[in-house]
Amino acid sequence: MPTPPQPDGSVDLSFVEGVAREIAVHIKEEYRIVVDKSTVPVKTGEKVAQTINRYNPKADIDVVSNPEFLREGSAVEDLMKPDRIVVGVSSDRAIGPMKEVYEPFNAPIMITDLNSAELIKHASNSFLALKISYINAVGAICEKSGANVERVAEGMGADKRIGRAFLNAGIGYGGSCFPKDLSAFIRISEELGYDFRLLKEVEAINQDQKERFLKKIREVLWVLRHKKIGVLGLAFKGNTDDVRSSVAIGIVQQLLAEGAEVRAYDPKGMEKARALVPGAKMVERAEDVADGADALLLLTEWTDFKSLPWAAMKKSMLSPLLFDGRNLLNPDEMRGFGFAYTSVGR
Ligand SMILES: NC(=O)c1ccc[n+]([C@@H]2O[C@H](COP(=O)([O-])OP(=O)(O)OC[C@H]3O[C@@H](n4cnc5c(N)ncnc54)[C@H](O)[C@@H]3O)[C@@H](O)[C@H]2O)c1
């Protein structure tokens, strides 16, 4: 079930509630397990059970929380080889059948109580977002001190307690999960009487990253009006066509609002992006964004972008400015092609 955010950041649970009522109407009298895989606020499972029992007092059910951890872009692999399978139950009766379902996957199954399972999902996604904002803040210090955020991340990541994953500096996180799950977790905490200031700061730093990147562009180009800007990448990350809450889209919208002429390319995201940035011209081939451009921006970490015909692209530009918002390219190599190359935190 979708659990979309509401304007105030809280979760719209009407789809989940609606299906709980539908289940209540259609459920047979023998024992059934109702499994929730959606990302929901803690205590939702309890509410689902109460709802089903209210509309059908005869229903013999257990609600199980089994949060989904797969990532877009590697969904099948994540499904087949999960790090862990979390099963939150309110009664031991549900454990056996759930274990049986997941046995073939050969992955560790963690049995918890219902509320803990629901919290594991929000706490995990918020922690990953925290890692990203942390390295972005460190990146800001690197820029001011002349250090290299990539070396710093490698050094930190070599410590097993920290790990290298999710320590990539850039223009910040986006997508349909992190921003939504973070604001939901902040709201849930608030409702439970805890002010999760740490996560509010994670959000603020993420917002700053986009602004700091735009500022770098304005500092060089001075006036954006009528500037031709080539954009590589619109999806919120590589290997997906998903442009929901994509930072790249936010940046293009801002450039358009300031009067720039944007030409954009994304291997998979252009179709869905059209409606969000109707003012941008989508081109067929990545290299076409460079034609007559005043600057190039790389906004999504598609591996294909590493091997573009950079030398020819540089030649076709009006001025050789290249802003790499994902630290995807090799600075020395790009400068070798003659680009004035800027990235994040290095
Ligand atoms: N997409 C991801 O990568 C991902 C990863 C982990 C967790 N999640 C979580 O999983 C949940 C679903 O995400 P999604 O991206 O698959 O969303 P989605 O909107 O793509 O899919 C939701 C599905 O629910 C169906 N649906 C909606 N209303 C219904 C109703 N009344 N009755 C029956 N079916 C109904 C829709 O048709 C759709 O198939 C969310 O809570 C999300 O946070 C998503």
Side-chain angles (χ1 to χ4, degrees), residues 24-332:
V25 173
H26 295 288
I27 203 160
K28 302 279 185 301
E29 273 184 27
E30 66 262 43
Y31 177 64
R32 286 287 183 267
I33 298 175
V34 177
V35 183
D36 171 27
K37 291 196 66 70
S38 289
T39 304
V40 293
V42 61
K43 290 173 159 309
T44 297
E46 288 178 5
K47 293 255 171 48
V48 168
Q50 286 161 8
T51 303
I52 295 173
N53 285 318
R54 185 173 334 111
Y55 288 96
N56 183 351
K58 283 194 196 144
D60 181 17
I61 53 136
D62 273 317
V63 173
V64 166
S65 166
N66 173 215
E68 181 54 67
F69 294 104
L70 64 76
R71 298 162 295 176
E72 286 175 29
S74 56
V76 175
E77 200 192 326
D78 292 346
L79 170 79
M80 300 309 285
K81 293 194 183 99
D83 288 342
R84 78 308 204 185
I85 293 161
V86 173
V87 175
V89 297
S90 50
S91 117
D92 288 352
R93 198 154 58 138
I95 297 175
M98 289 303 293
K99 278 191 167 161
E100 200 180 314
V101 166
Y102 278 116
E103 220 146 50
F105 289 85
N106 219 350
I109 300 176
M110 289 184 59
I111 305 292
T112 71
D113 60 280
L114 200 48
N115 290 338
S116 300
E118 289 168 342
L119 265 180
I120 286 169
K121 174 71 193 193
H122 270 130
S124 300
N125 272 1
S126 299
F127 190 77
L128 293 171
L130 179 145
K131 276 187 98 175
I132 296 171
S133 279
Y134 186 84
I135 201 64
N136 279 332
V138 171
I141 304 298
C142 288
E143 284 178 12
K144 289 183 192 297
S145 62
N148 181 329
V149 74
E150 229 167 299
R151 297 289 92 74
V152 177
E154 275 163 24
M156 288 171 61
D159 185 329
K160 283 196 205 67
R161 296 169 304 175
I162 298 174
R164 177 66 180 81
F166 283 76
L167 290 181
N168 294 324
I171 48 178
Y173 61 78
S176 69
C177 283
F178 282 6
K180 158 181 111 118
D181 290 354
L182 214 72
S183 58
F185 201 28
I186 291 169
R187 281 297 308 244
I188 294 159
S189 309
E190 225 162 67
E191 276 162 29
L192 292 168
Y194 181 75
D195 182 7
F196 216 143
R197 296 192 302 272
L198 179 65
L199 295 186
K200 291 179 182 168
E201 196 52 35
V202 169
E203 280 187 333
I205 292 170
N206 196 55
Q207 193 58 31
D208 286 353
Q209 274 319 95
K210 189 175 95 185
E211 293 306 325
R212 287 180 352 97
F213 187 72
L214 282 162
K215 197 167 154 225
K216 284 181 194 170
I217 299 164
R218 288 190 205 103
E219 262 167 19
V220 186
L221 282 182
W222 188 20
V223 173
L224 289 185
R225 202 172 177 75
H226 300 314
K227 288 280 155 57
K228 289 191 173 61
I229 299 185
V231 167
L232 291 165
L234 295 163
F236 84 93
K237 65 173 185 180
N239 289 330
T240 177
D241 65 349
D242 198 344
V243 293
R244 290 178 290 175
S245 303
S246 165
V247 184
I249 295 286
I251 287 175
V252 171
Q253 285 170 337
Q254 186 58 35
L255 296 173
L256 291 169
E258 292 182 39
E261 293 165 25
V262 176
R263 229 169 331 154
Y265 172 82
D266 187 283
K268 294 221 167 85
M270 292 199 284
E271 217 32 66
K272 288 183 175 164
R274 258 179 243 278
L276 299 175
V277 284
K281 183 173 172 7
M282 306 290 170
V283 297
E284 287 284 308
R285 302 177 315 158
E287 46 267 51
D288 293 344
V289 301
D291 235 358
D294 297 283
L296 281 186
L297 317 184
L298 193 157
L299 302 179
T300 306
E301 63 277 35
W302 282 100
T303 348
D304 297 0
F305 291 160
K306 284 186 186 173
S307 50
L308 292 179
W310 288 106
M313 285 168 72
K314 191 248 150 194
K315 281 205 190 99
S316 70
M317 293 175 70
L318 271 188
S319 91
L321 297 169
L322 174 54
F323 297 88
D324 180 354
R326 298 293 180 185
N327 291 355
L328 185 83
L329 307 168
N330 181 314
D332 292 338

